[in-house]
Amino acid sequence: MGPYNSSVSAGSSSGSSSSCSGKPADPIDGLLAGAGYRVRSSELRQVAQRLARLENVMVNAPTEVSHLANDAVHYNPSDLASWVDSLLSELHQPEIAPDPSTFSDLNYIAHTQAGPVLVNPMVSHRELSAGTEIEEDSGIRLVHVLMTCAESVHRGELSLAASLIEELQGLLTSVDGERGIGKVAGYFIDALSRRVFAPPSPPSLAVSAFENTVLYHHFYEACPYLKFAHFTANQAILEAFDGHDCVHVIDFNLMHGLQWPALIQALALRPGGPPLLRLTGIGPPSPDGHDSLREIGLRLAELARSVNVRFAFRGVAASRLDDVKPWMLQVNPKEVIAVNSIMQLHKLLGSDPSRGSPIDPVLEWIRNLNPKIVMVVEQEANHNQPEFLDRFTEALHYYSTMFDSLEAYSAPLEKSLAEIHIQREICNVVCCEGLARVERHEPLDKWRDRLGGAGFTSLHLGSNAFKQASMLLTLFSAEGYCVEENEGCLTLGWHSRPLIAASAWQAMPVLQHPLPLINHRQNVI
Amino acid sequence: MVNLLQNGDLCMEEAKEETPMFCINDNEDVLVEILRRLDGRSLGSAACVCKMWCGIARNDALWEHLCFRHVSPPPSGVRPVVVALGGYRRLYMVCVRPVLSRLGRMRVGLGGGESDLVRRVWTRQEVELSLSLFCVDYYERLLGGGGKLGDAPASSLMFLCKTVNV
């Protein structure tokens, strides 16, 4: 405790003396001192460079570096500069010339003590003061110009936007386009240029369902968001099906059906034996007569047969969810129903909250099915705001965080494919309007209001789901993901920014109005 | 054999009868009992000794014991499911070992060696999670092989095999 106390007090005293126009020989940086680190302001840049190098070395170390956490004794770690140097020399790294392309990442290290976070260009000057030397750096400049360009698009000044886009593309060459701010900015610049230069009809992101499925699969592998969604949903559905012998799951987006093997296995092993499981999978129609829904159904049936679960599958092909009519689902009155929607409901929202949107009739027929549980997993973001600039800013933050979390995944091909999946979302949020814009994400609170108003009541997800989600995250090598509980719903995020939210709902029992009864009595009388 | 001679000296004498040489390969049940007590890595090494040991060490019952000997109470009714999805040896390799070592590392701190895995007790939830991941593995192999099962671990489980990032 001693050394820390003394370094903090030394830091703050020299920090305050420097602000009092004293003539300190070399002031200790005030912000970092608040966190217990002594770094001279003049050395900030070098220390940040060395930290970046250290990070590189540790990630790419040919041998285990965990001994550094176990055995190494770090003297006076608050003296950040010499601590980093000692670690670097211990790992035998030769001196390399500072690489200007890593500067963009240095913003993260210098500005925050809690891992990489996108620097908000609107942030107060006080927060920027720690990195004043790095302020002219290309990363920040890139974000500045990006926001200016978005503003000009928002105001309709397309010629200005066009010239800004050219400037942005120039700026891109001076940052590392492979990671950090360079990569995210690259995607947003691309989206903006599509919006400004491309014809008004939706850009040629005309997607094949097959491509979508492949990209989705790689997104499933590269980061835990979808796995979290699947496992949390399965846990809730399993609990809802407890004690019932005839169960029916309606999946709003079947894809490869990766969610269902785990549920089938859990049902196979549940005390009392498995129920009869029916699965109705909704998906886009496949071209050229090839029935991909049916094929997935066959694989799932094969798996169910191996583990002795009675299983029946039905595929419903529909390009939009509001094309699905309840009679297509062929619901049996004796069975217990679970509706599963992983990132599908937002596609039905409209931009004008006062007018009805396509989601209302869908929520109504869902409710009329009287499901035991409705699982809703959605992106935790506010991408459906009416003003373009608000959407753009929010999307920049959201997707930067998401790309950050992907950094840890090392397989390069799969990572690129997962990134293309995300890039398509970005393009849709930024470029498209009207019916073409389907990525209309809304945050959990708005979903609560909407679902509550449509006659659903919230079901708490419970500690089993939370524990399972935490365990799942521990199995991932990247530390930085966090599961949080939010009034009975679970969210998964990166460094305390929730990115995806899972919630469970139940149809409220339809109230029996007393009025008809009174009328009846009156009639009788 | 030590003999007492008439003059009081002791002398060593060749034993007249031959004590039978004990060969472990002739006593399969003893071998199995020994192998049951090993950890996964040693069991794997044992399989490399000779053809006979390989045959014995690959016996799924041994791996079943390895997977669940520290689960209390032992899960019931699991065997047909595990066998259908690929067997206990595969379950151990693909799911149990990585799950235990990752979760064990987080719990104990660092330095979870293989021997720690032997002593560690699972929770019911860890068992369930491993089984679910095993099922996903089976399904992905089904998908990838176009209906036939491949042998390589499925891609979404590769994250379990990666070393922990610092």
Side-chain angles (χ1 to χ4, degrees):
Chain A
M1 293 304 282
Y4 280 106
N5 280 339
S6 57
S7 65
V8 167
S9 55
S12 47
S13 62
S14 11
S16 56
S17 69
S18 69
S19 66
C20 294
S21 78
K23 21 106 291 156
D26 207 343
I28 303 284
D29 175 79
L31 270 186
L32 287 174
Y37 295 109
R38 296 184 56 212
V39 186
R40 302 190 203 290
S41 300
S42 56
E43 284 182 13
L44 265 182
R45 193 176 224 171
Q46 283 170 300
V47 171
Q49 277 171 31
R50 283 183 225 148
L51 278 172
R53 213 186 317 143
L54 181 63
E55 181 194 30
N56 264 331
V57 165
M58 289 174 107
V59 167
N60 299 323
T63 55
E64 274 282 353
V65 295
S66 62
H67 69 275
L68 285 174
N70 277 349
D71 310 331
V73 176
H74 301 295
Y75 293 101
N76 199 13
S78 64
D79 185 356
L80 203 52
S82 47
W83 178 74
V84 175
D85 282 339
S86 72
L87 272 185
L88 276 176
S89 57
E90 191 171 337
L91 295 171
H92 304 301
Q93 281 309 303
E95 282 284 335
I96 5 176
D99 184 359
S101 67
T102 61
F103 276 18
S104 49
D105 299 290
L106 304 184
N107 288 333
Y108 298 1
I109 298 168
H111 286 225
T112 68
Q113 292 92 24
V117 162
L118 175 69
V119 173
N120 188 340
M122 328 287 198
V123 86
S124 68
H125 182 70
R126 190 190 145 272
E127 289 169 61
L128 280 177
S129 64
T132 34
E133 291 181 74
I134 322 180
E135 195 172 16
E136 297 88 23
D137 152 64
S138 347
I140 283 210
R141 184 156 168 67
L142 196 54
V143 176
H144 264 299
V145 181
L146 198 55
M147 294 307 301
T148 316
C149 182
E151 259 176 87
S152 53
V153 170
H154 174 69
R155 286 194 302 263
E157 296 164 11
L158 293 183
S159 47
L160 174 60
S163 59
L164 283 172
I165 287 176
E166 282 179 31
E167 187 183 338
L168 282 168
Q169 280 160 348
L171 278 177
L172 256 189
T173 57
S174 59
V175 291
D176 184 358
E178 291 303 307
R179 44 192 308 245
I181 185 64
K183 175 182 273 184
V184 179
Y187 287 123
F188 275 88
I189 294 168
D190 175 70
L192 277 174
S193 66
R194 279 180 207 258
R195 187 180 176 114
V196 169
F197 295 126
S201 59
S204 59
L205 291 174
V207 292
S208 81
F210 174 71
E211 267 177 34
N212 259 347
T213 316
V214 170
L215 293 177
Y216 189 82
H217 192 134
H218 286 283
F219 182 63
Y220 175 87
E221 287 169 23
C223 42
Y225 304 110
L226 288 179
K227 291 190 189 81
F228 161 79
H230 291 177
F231 275 81
T232 308
N234 284 346
Q235 182 67 33
I237 295 176
L238 191 66
E239 286 169 15
F241 281 171
D242 194 21
H244 297 280
D245 269 331
C246 221
V247 301
H248 184 178
V249 175
I250 301 173
D251 187 2
F252 278 1
N253 189 22
L254 187 65
M255 286 287 177
H256 275 149
L258 279 168
Q259 179 172 354
W260 308 117
L263 183 69
I264 294 175
Q265 173 264 318
L267 286 173
L269 288 175
R270 76 170 188 178
L276 164 63
L277 172 66
R278 277 185 62 203
L279 175 65
T280 300
I282 300 175
S286 22
D288 60 33
H290 167 150
D291 195 345
S292 52
L293 284 173
R294 187 169 166 270
E295 276 186 24
I296 300 294
L298 283 174
R299 302 266 177 269
L300 286 170
E302 206 177 315
L303 180 132
R305 197 176 42 237
S306 310
V307 298
N308 267 327
V309 174
R310 293 165 293 152
F311 180 78
F313 176 82
R314 186 182 172 77
V316 174
S319 23
R320 283 179 61 99
L321 206 48
D322 41 353
D323 289 339
V324 175
K325 304 286 172 263
W327 59 263
M328 298 177 189
L329 306 172
Q330 297 206 337
V331 165
N332 188 321
K334 284 200 263 291
E335 60 194 8
V336 165
I337 296 172
V339 175
N340 185 71
S341 162
I342 311 272
M343 312 206 289
Q344 296 304 302
L345 288 184
H346 64 257
K347 298 184 181 172
L348 295 170
L349 295 175
S351 32
D352 191 349
S354 54
R355 291 164 45 184
S357 30
I359 198 175
D360 298 320
V362 174
L363 287 179
E364 204 184 315
W365 66 247
I366 294 177
R367 182 155 172 230
N368 290 338
L369 290 177
N370 200 16
K372 183 101 193 290
I373 183 170
V374 179
M375 272 309 298
V376 174
V377 180
E378 286 288 330
Q379 288 94 334
E380 181 64 6
N382 204 355
H383 294 155
N384 200 20
Q385 297 168 82
E387 299 299 318
F388 173 77
L389 190 58
D390 298 329
R391 285 205 306 273
F392 187 88
T393 317
E394 169 86 9
L396 192 56
H397 278 80
Y398 180 83
Y399 288 107
S400 307
T401 315
M402 185 167 272
F403 272 106
D404 252 351
S405 72
L406 259 178
E407 283 295 312
Y409 189 68
S410 55
L413 173 65
E414 284 78 11
K415 183 154 86 159
S416 316
L417 290 173
E419 286 174 2
I420 295 177
H421 172 93
I422 303 175
Q423 183 222 3
R424 286 193 171 167
E425 276 186 25
I426 296 175
C427 268
N428 195 277
V429 175
V430 172
C431 309
C432 299
E433 292 297 337
L435 270 181
R437 179 152 59 92
V438 291
E439 300 295 340
R440 295 178 180 269
H441 311 147
E442 283 191 348
L444 186 56
D445 291 326
K446 283 209 178 139
W447 283 110
R448 283 203 180 104
D449 292 336
R450 191 180 289 280
L451 288 167
F456 293 93
T457 169
S458 157
L459 280 175
H460 277 220
L461 280 171
S463 57
N464 278 335
F466 185 88
K467 271 191 243 175
Q468 185 183 78
S470 310
M471 267 199 291
L472 203 58
L473 284 190
T474 311
L475 295 176
F476 270 82
S477 37
E479 302 198 356
Y481 290 105
C482 58
V483 180
E484 278 166 6
E485 205 243 345
N486 180 337
E487 285 176 45
C489 306
L490 288 186
T491 63
L492 172 61
W494 175 256
H495 281 134
S496 77
R497 158 82 212 235
L499 292 177
I500 186 171
S503 53
W505 302 86
Q506 194 176 36
M508 275 198 288
V510 179
L511 288 171
Q512 298 295 327
H513 286 281
L515 279 170
L517 209 55
I518 294 173
N519 282 338
H520 177 75
R521 282 207 209 111
Q522 280 176 345
N523 284 340
V524 166
I525 292 171
Chain B
M1 236 179 90
V2 178
N3 271 340
L4 184 60
L5 293 177
Q6 279 173 326
N7 62 2
D9 284 331
L10 296 170
C11 79
M12 293 289 292
E13 232 179 61
E14 294 288 332
K16 291 278 168 18
E17 69 283 9
E18 297 259 326
T19 46
M21 285 237 304
F22 178 82
C23 180
I24 187 73
N25 282 359
D26 294 332
N27 296 272
E28 212 173 288
D29 43 349
V30 177
L31 179 57
V32 169
E33 276 305 310
I34 296 174
L35 292 180
R36 266 162 65 95
R37 285 156 174 76
L38 294 182
D39 59 298
R41 196 185 162 88
S42 311
L43 203 48
S45 311
C48 303
V49 168
C50 65
K51 266 205 196 128
M52 183 207 168
W53 280 47
C54 186
I56 294 178
R58 283 184 172 226
N59 184 344
D60 220 32
L62 273 177
W63 294 91
E64 174 180 5
H65 184 72
L66 177 63
C67 282
F68 292 139
R69 65 184 168 205
H70 292 294
V71 180
S72 171
S76 59
V78 167
R79 186 180 303 148
V81 171
V82 174
V83 168
L85 298 178
Y88 281 97
R89 187 162 146 267
R90 190 181 172 89
L91 174 64
Y92 184 81
M93 295 299 190
V94 171
C95 296
V96 171
R97 192 166 63 96
V99 168
L100 273 187
S101 73
R102 288 292 176 79
L103 295 180
R105 204 176 291 172
M106 294 304 290
R107 266 218 231 157
V108 170
L110 295 162
E114 187 85 20
S115 51
D116 289 350
L117 295 185
V118 175
R119 285 188 292 276
R120 199 175 164 295
V121 175
W122 294 65
T123 63
R124 184 178 59 90
Q125 273 160 335
E126 287 165 347
V127 173
E128 285 170 1
L129 185 60
S130 296
L131 290 172
S132 295
L133 292 172
F134 191 51
C135 199
V136 176
D137 164 70
Y138 174 84
Y139 183 68
E140 285 195 293
R141 285 185 295 136
L142 260 189
L143 282 183
K148 293 184 294 271
L149 283 173
D151 244 350
S155 29
S156 83
L157 287 186
M158 290 305 272
F159 69 83
L160 288 177
C161 306
K162 294 199 187 81
T163 50
V164 175
N165 265 346
V166 176

